């Protein structure tokens, strides 16, 4: 099915909304648009204290001495804690999500600028911050490793001397694909194009920074933690392991969250400090980062230097792709990815093309920079992978002097090849790429634009058209090979229908703005025929929801969405037995008609799901052997990931006098299988496209040679506003996932993954008269200008 989206969304009043999927207004918006959301910083508890963190001003230095006496003497200060004090309790180090360790507070050395060195708990936020100034730290500066390319030099200072026997900055090596087979294909290829490309370090920069309120109850030994967490259940287990607290005594609540984008997946030292602060003082303790703290110390994204190679025949058949990657992991390996995937899902760098061979070798290193390595709408590094392959395809088109859209069309995996096993071991569940590509070309008016461009070139005007086609892998993941720190990536779901036919569904995922309270009610409504307005969605509270791994990697729909559909079907199966008793016919004689069971051939005999709910709880006998009540729970373990895809086309104009890039148009055609709420999908796509334009044109966390972070505020770390982005034009196709119960694939990260190469390809296309084949992001006016002058150096 290929459908073109309505330009003017036909929003419907929720009261009139059909039972299930469709354009329903978000149930959560009335509280958000009135400013009545409840975020961590809105939590106010009696006697609550405030925590502030002292951070290292240096990227690499030995801690010689810390004098906290003046801070302790501050009249409003309740506690001052250093790494040494934590070390006494065995809490100075914590595990990261990648089986590394990270300092909660530095003991021996600081390893990046902004690292946590000490914390103060005081009566108010101002006093806590004032007291930080009173702490005197004596640092002995060490040479810093700020350039990933020199991290493995023999004379480079060793950052992780805390790790036994560590004598260099090597973090890990990883490879995928078949090196020899790929070499053989490269040897016989007519054309080989090589290109180095850097995906710079960027930051998710959610509107709400990270923070928490920790409340340890000394009487019953229970800990309640309100925190900005994308994965409350996984965090609870980790706290239990780190702090040695019994898991049933810990309750993690993720209230409303003001954006996550992956930034709120890891456990940060601030959370652990707050817990310690509350245990020490016996009072609730609140910690909220400011913007600079968020930018300099929390999970960054990307930071890959990629040597790409693509091999093809002279008539444009792509044969193989090979890459060697140098990955900057910062001072601690905090990458959040399934354990067996140290490079996340970068292995899908073969893209949407039918290749004969592929190979990747990666070396990851430590540098004196903040840890992180997955965050920012990446689907576990697929952003980097898609950028690599989509830039390489454009480089090949440049060399062969063919149209980049045609080159893609000629190399796509064909619909009949699905399920398609890639040369790096992924099995794409379903796909039909050509209609999506053709639709994007039609929507944008591709042929006309090429004519316009040719015309403009004769006048010296710079206009570029950039294509990108991506395949994503989302919905981690099958427990047989995916876990995070030993926790399998399955999701629980629980559904209870009350006697009056209203229902509550409890999820293990946690929304940060994706609209789960609406879409999950719609998923259940579609299966069981109760209006979405009558279904309450409970999430983000470990005491009140079943165990599961949380929201990231666009996994909520593929995993928890499947769980919600299946739990509803389980309830419906029970309802059917009750209906058969009520209508005095056998189960086989009943038809389901969304919301009621009807006797086959007798349209007048039926019972509604609401009637059945009352009977399930009410007077009268139920069919033999059936327990009362109408509820169920399940734990869903996906059999595969889902593989959404999309075709994006960007049109830019460049001012030849300044190098400034203007994104004139952007067309995005997405396929996420069955669409639950098209309005929410469009919102997700719009947000992701904005992210992508930001990364392509302006975002970068940069460092000076001493490791000082140069992007610690929104004055220096630029994010796009309404002024920099065009009116988004969207379309869609629907290719359901064959293994997902409702055929849905994830979409939350698609646009961020797919859009940067479209923008970069457009800019490079515009610069063709200057003979430019590549320039690294962010394509700021100065970089574009240098590329035009031929003076741009590799970044
Ligand atoms: N959806 C749908 N039909 C589909 C697929 C999805 O209607 N076929 C809906 C879902 O029901 C859900 C939303 O779209 O309401 C996103 O679903 P999904 O793709 O499953 O992604 P998640 O819910 O798991 O969200 C995570 C994803 C990630 S990983 C990042 S990063 C990101 C993103 O979502 N962070 C966001 N979008 C964000 N949007 C907001 N507002 N804030 C963030 O922090
Ligand atoms: Cu990779 S950012 Mo999202 O997975 O939370």
């Amino acid at each position: 099915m290929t459908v073109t989206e309505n330009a003017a969304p036909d929003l419907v009043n929720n009261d009139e909304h059909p039972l299930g999927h469709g354009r329903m207004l978000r149930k959560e918006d009335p509280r958000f648009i009135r400013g009545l959301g409840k975020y961590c910083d809105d939590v106010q508890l009696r006697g609550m204290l405030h925590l502030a963190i002292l951070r290292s001003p240096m990227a690499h230095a030995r801690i010689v001495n810390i004098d906290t006496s003046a801070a302790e003497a501050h009249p409003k200060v309740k506690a001052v804690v250093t790494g040494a004090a934590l070390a006494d309790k065995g809490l100075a180090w914590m595990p990261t999500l990648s089986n590394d360790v990270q300092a909660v507070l530095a003991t021996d050395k600081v390893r990046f600028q902004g690292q946590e060195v000490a914390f103060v708990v005081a009566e108010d936020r101002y006093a806590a911050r004032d007291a930080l100034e009173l702490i005197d730290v004596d640092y002995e500066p060490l040479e810093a490793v700020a350039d990933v390319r020199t991290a493995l030099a023999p004379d480079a200072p060793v950052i992780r001397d805390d790790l036994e026997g560590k004598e260099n900055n090597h973090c890990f090596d990883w490879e995928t694909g078949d090196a020899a087979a790929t070499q053989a294909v490269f040897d016989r290829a007519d054309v080989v194009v090589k290109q180095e490309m850097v995906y710079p370090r960027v930051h998710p920069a959610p509107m709400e920074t990270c923070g928490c309120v920790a409340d340890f109850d000394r009487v019953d030994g229970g800990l309640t933690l309100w925190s900005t967490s994308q994965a409350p259940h996984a965090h609870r287990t980790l706290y239990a392991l780190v702090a040695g607290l019994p898991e049933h005594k810990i309750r993690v609540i993720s209230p409303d969250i003001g954006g996550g984008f992956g930034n709120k997946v890891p456990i940060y030292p601030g959370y652990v400090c707050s817990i310690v602060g509350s245990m020490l003082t016996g009072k609730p303790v609140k910690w909220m980062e400011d913007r600079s703290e968020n930018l300099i110390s929390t999970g960054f994204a990307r930071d890959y230097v990629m040597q790409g190679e693509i091999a093809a025949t002279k008539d444009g058949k792509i044969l193989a792709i090979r890459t060697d990657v140098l990955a900057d992991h910062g001072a601690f390996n905090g990458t959040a990815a399934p354990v067996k995937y140290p490079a996340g899902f970068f292995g899908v760098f073969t893209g949407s093309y039918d290749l004969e061979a592929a190979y990747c070798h990666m070396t990851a290193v430590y540098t004196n920079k903040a840890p992180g390595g997955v965050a920012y709408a990446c689907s576990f590094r697929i952003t980097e992978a898609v950028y690599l392959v989509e830039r390489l395809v454009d480089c090949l088109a440049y060399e062969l002097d063919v149209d980049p859209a045609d080159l893609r069309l000629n190399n796509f995996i064909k619909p009949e090849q699905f399920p398609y096993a890639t040369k790096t071991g992924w099995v794409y569940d379903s796909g039909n790429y050509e209609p999506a590509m053709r639709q994007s070309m039609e929507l944008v008016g591709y042929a006309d634009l090429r004519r316009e461009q040719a015309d403009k070139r004769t006048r010296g005007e710079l206009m570029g058209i950039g294509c990108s086609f991506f395949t994503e892998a989302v919905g981690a993941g099958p427990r047989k090979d995916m876990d995070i720190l030993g926790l399998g990536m399955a999701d629980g779901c629980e559904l209870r229908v009350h006697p009056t036919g209203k229902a509550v569904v409890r999820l293990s995922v946690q929304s940060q703005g994706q609209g789960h309270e609406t879409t999950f009610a719609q998923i259940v409504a579609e299966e069981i025929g109760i209006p979405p307005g009558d279904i309450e969605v409970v999430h983000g509270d470990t005491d009140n929801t079943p165990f599961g791994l949380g929201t990231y990697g666009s996994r909520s729909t593929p995993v928890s969405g499947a769980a919600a559909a299946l739990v509803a079907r389980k309830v419906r199966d029970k309802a059917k037995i009750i209906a058969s008793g009520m209508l005095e016919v056998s189960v086989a004689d009943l038809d389901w008609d969304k919301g009621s069971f009807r006797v086959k051939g007798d349209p007048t005999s039926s019972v509604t799901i609401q009637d059945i709910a009352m009977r399930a709880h009410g007077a009268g006998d139920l069919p033999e052997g059936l327990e009362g009540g109408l509820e169920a729970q399940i734990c869903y373990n996906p059999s595969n990931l889902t593989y959404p895809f999309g075709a994006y086309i960007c049109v830019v104009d460049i001012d030849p006098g300044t190098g400034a890039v203007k994104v004139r148009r952007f067309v995005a055609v997405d396929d996420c299988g069955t669409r639950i709420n098209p309005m929410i999908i469009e919102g997700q796509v719009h947000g992701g496209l904005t992210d992508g334009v930001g990364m392509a044109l302006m975002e970068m966390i940069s460092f000076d040679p001493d490791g000082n972070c140069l992007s610690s505020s929104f004055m220096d770390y630029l994010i796009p506003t309404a002024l920099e982005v065009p009116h988004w034009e969207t379309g869609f196709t629907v290719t359901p996932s064959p293994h997902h119960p409702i055929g849905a694939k994830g979409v939350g990260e698609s646009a961020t993954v797919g859009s940067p190469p479209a923008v970069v390809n457009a800019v490079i296309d515009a610069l063709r008269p200057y003979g430019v084949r590549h320039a690294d992001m962010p394509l700021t006016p100065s970089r574009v200008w240098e590329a035009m002058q031929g003076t741009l150096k590799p970044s």
Side-chain angles (χ1 to χ4, degrees):
M1 179 167 80
T2 301
V3 197
T4 302
E5 197 107 330
N6 239 334
D10 50 340
L11 296 177
V12 295
N13 183 320
N14 287 353
D15 298 335
E16 300 161 7
H17 196 271
L19 301 171
H21 303 168
R23 261 177 201 286
M24 176 181 164
L25 292 180
R26 302 201 327 166
K27 290 169 69 173
E28 43 273 85
D29 281 349
R31 70 174 189 276
F32 290 141
I33 58 182
R34 286 182 290 170
L36 298 175
K38 285 206 178 55
Y39 299 88
C40 270
D41 208 15
D42 294 319
V43 175
Q44 297 291 347
L45 302 179
R46 191 135 59 108
M48 190 171 75
L49 302 173
H50 295 262
L51 183 143
I53 294 175
L54 182 71
R55 296 179 181 278
S56 167
M58 282 176 221
H60 201 190
R62 200 159 294 289
I63 297 177
V64 180
N65 185 46
I66 306 184
D67 181 354
T68 56
S69 53
E72 278 160 24
H74 188 293
K76 289 187 170 178
V77 167
K78 301 292 176 191
V80 183
V81 175
T82 62
L86 285 188
D88 289 343
K89 297 183 172 14
L91 289 173
W93 294 83
M94 61 178 193
T96 70
L97 295 176
S98 281
N99 284 315
D100 193 357
V101 289
Q102 174 176 357
V104 176
L105 293 177
T107 49
D108 49 343
K109 295 201 298 192
V110 289
R111 293 176 169 84
F112 66 93
Q113 188 189 48
Q115 189 181 336
E116 299 78 2
V117 173
F119 71 81
V120 170
V121 179
E123 284 171 20
D124 59 62
R125 186 171 162 97
Y126 307 98
R129 294 242 154 179
D130 285 348
L132 294 183
E133 306 280 321
L134 302 173
I135 300 174
D136 195 15
V137 187
D138 193 1
Y139 293 103
E140 178 193 318
L142 300 169
E143 189 194 333
V145 180
D147 180 355
V148 63
R149 297 174 201 261
T150 59
L152 291 179
D155 57 345
V158 179
I159 299 165
R160 295 302 302 280
D161 48 356
D162 59 295
L163 299 174
E164 218 177 292
K166 194 93 196 138
E167 284 171 357
N168 56 33
N169 295 317
H170 182 255
C171 184
F172 64 82
D173 261 13
W174 173 80
E175 63 174 354
T176 185
D178 186 331
T182 307
Q183 182 62 51
V185 175
F186 268 82
D187 287 345
R188 67 176 154 81
D190 305 326
V191 189
V192 171
V193 179
K194 292 186 193 189
Q195 181 62 55
E196 175 181 297
M197 46 191 103
V198 177
Y199 209 131
R201 177 175 279 232
V202 293
H203 198 281
M207 212 189 310
E208 177 203 34
T209 57
C210 298
C212 67
V213 178
D215 186 13
F216 181 71
D217 185 330
R218 285 182 175 175
V219 177
D220 72 0
L223 168 71
T224 305
L225 186 78
W226 287 262
S227 80
T228 50
S229 168
Q230 294 182 220
H233 287 278
H235 279 197
R236 178 180 62 173
T237 305
L238 287 184
Y239 292 127
L241 297 173
V242 176
L245 289 168
E247 198 164 355
H248 66 291
K249 287 290 188 187
I250 307 176
R251 178 178 181 188
V252 176
I253 300 174
S254 285
D256 286 331
I257 293 194
F261 308 103
N263 190 231
K264 292 165 180 169
V265 175
I267 290 187
Y268 292 119
Y271 301 148
V272 179
C273 292
S274 304
I275 295 170
V276 172
S278 181
M279 287 175 150
L280 278 177
T281 59
K283 296 276 172 34
V285 169
K286 179 185 281 185
W287 164 68
M288 284 306 298
E289 287 171 346
D290 64 22
R291 181 58 59 190
S292 293
E293 292 183 285
N294 182 255
L295 282 170
I296 65 175
S297 73
T298 63
F300 70 90
R302 332 291 187 234
D303 224 346
Y304 271 16
V305 178
M306 303 179 281
Q307 312 294 336
E309 284 180 273
I310 187 165
T313 62
K314 58 181 176 314
D315 46 3
K317 166 85 187 91
I318 304 174
L319 301 173
I321 293 180
R322 179 162 63 185
T323 180
D324 197 62
V325 179
L326 182 58
D328 188 339
H329 277 243
F332 307 102
N333 185 13
T335 302
V339 169
K340 288 186 200 158
Y341 299 82
F345 298 168
F346 186 78
V348 303
F349 68 88
T350 54
S352 315
Y353 310 105
D354 186 19
L355 304 183
E356 290 180 17
Y359 177 68
C360 168
H361 170 257
M362 180 179 293
T363 300
V365 299
Y366 291 115
T367 60
N368 288 114
K369 300 177 192 170
V374 4
Y376 201 176
C378 58
S379 303
F380 299 127
R381 303 281 195 186
I382 294 179
T383 328
E384 291 91 319
V386 166
Y387 183 71
L388 174 81
V389 53
E390 290 306 290
R391 279 297 301 128
L392 279 177
V393 169
D394 259 45
C395 290
L396 178 65
Y398 182 104
E399 290 301 319
L400 295 173
D401 198 16
V402 296
D403 183 277
D406 288 341
L407 186 58
R408 286 175 172 81
L409 284 164
N410 291 337
N411 283 283
F412 281 147
I413 300 162
K414 303 271 179 304
E416 61 275 15
Q417 288 176 281
F418 291 91
Y420 178 84
T422 73
K423 292 292 184 276
T424 47
W426 301 78
V427 180
Y428 293 180
D429 59 346
S430 64
N432 190 3
Y433 297 162
E434 187 174 333
M437 187 74 202
R438 298 249 181 241
Q439 188 185 149
S440 69
M441 294 169 75
E442 264 163 48
L443 279 175
V444 84
Y446 192 77
D448 286 345
L449 285 170
R450 284 286 174 213
R451 278 190 287 275
E452 181 192 341
Q453 180 185 44
D455 189 41
K456 287 200 157 138
R457 275 189 182 155
T458 62
R459 299 197 298 270
E461 290 172 41
L462 300 180
M463 165 189 168
I465 307 156
C467 304
S468 149
F469 197 99
F470 67 92
T471 300
E472 270 230 86
V474 301
R479 286 166 71 144
K480 62 178 164 17
D481 47 22
M482 289 183 196
D483 68 274
I484 289 195
L485 286 185
L487 299 172
M489 303 192 78
D491 280 349
C493 191
E494 190 188 302
L495 175 64
R496 280 189 210 166
V497 183
H498 303 311
T500 55
K502 315 284 181 197
V504 55
V505 58
R506 297 170 192 276
L507 317 176
S508 60
V509 289
Q510 160 62 34
S511 165
Q512 306 99 46
Q514 296 89 345
H516 292 174
E517 287 164 43
T518 307
T519 48
F520 279 80
Q522 291 184 274
I523 293 172
V524 172
E526 181 81 26
E527 299 300 327
I528 203 170
I530 294 174
D534 287 350
I535 301 169
E536 186 70 16
V537 175
V538 175
H539 62 126
D541 177 350
T542 55
D543 270 10
N544 287 308
T545 56
F547 185 85
L549 270 251
T551 290
Y552 42 84
S554 297
R555 65 186 296 282
S556 302
T557 304
V559 188
S560 268
L566 292 177
V567 83
R569 287 179 193 172
K570 214 167 161 180
V571 167
R572 193 176 72 199
D573 288 344
K574 180 170 180 183
K576 190 173 193 180
I577 301 173
I578 298 172
S580 79
M582 291 168 78
L583 294 166
E584 297 178 341
V585 293
S586 84
V587 167
D589 288 333
L590 290 175
D591 275 337
W592 173 244
D593 182 17
K594 219 192 237 185
S596 52
F597 283 104
R598 287 177 197 284
V599 177
K600 280 185 179 143
D602 177 8
T604 58
S605 289
S606 71
V607 283
T608 65
I609 186 75
Q610 289 81 3
D611 299 336
I612 298 168
M614 186 53 90
R615 172 59 74 93
H617 295 87
D621 280 339
L622 292 174
E624 192 68 33
L626 206 65
E627 283 177 15
L630 193 55
E631 56 191 66
Q633 75 175 71
I634 69 159
C635 180
Y636 177 78
N637 174 26
S639 59
N640 188 7
L641 302 168
T642 65
Y643 294 80
F645 56 90
Y648 291 179
I649 300 183
C650 175
V651 184
V652 300
D653 296 304
I654 299 180
D655 181 337
T658 63
V661 176
K662 180 169 170 46
V663 178
R664 188 208 305 177
R665 288 184 63 196
F666 201 110
V667 165
V669 174
D670 273 276
D671 191 317
C672 56
T674 304
R675 295 156 67 84
I676 299 153
N677 186 325
M679 177 197 72
I680 286 183
I681 293 172
E682 282 159 27
Q684 290 291 302
V685 170
H686 291 181
L689 295 174
T690 307
D691 274 345
V693 167
M695 286 183 290
L697 298 183
M698 58 189 79
E699 294 182 35
M700 174 158 71
I701 298 280
S702 56
F703 296 84
D704 75 8
D706 294 326
N708 293 307
C709 181
L710 303 177
S711 319
S712 58
S713 81
F714 281 160
M715 298 290 283
D716 305 303
Y717 186 75
L718 303 180
I719 53 174
T721 69
L723 293 179
E724 284 86 21
V725 298
H727 171 78
W728 306 115
E729 300 167 69
T730 56
F732 67 96
T733 58
V734 176
T735 311
S737 166
H739 63 84
H740 187 282
I742 62 170
K745 303 178 177 185
V747 78
E749 297 180 310
S750 291
T752 314
V753 167
S755 56
V759 180
V760 174
N761 287 344
V763 171
I764 303 301
D765 182 54
L767 298 181
R768 182 151 192 139
Y770 291 84
V772 177
R773 199 182 75 185
H774 179 75
D776 283 326
M777 298 184 284
L779 293 170
T780 56
S782 65
R783 281 201 182 179
V784 172
W785 175 257
E786 283 187 67
M788 288 162 67
Q789 311 312 310
T791 57
L792 186 63
K793 295 188 190 69
S795 48

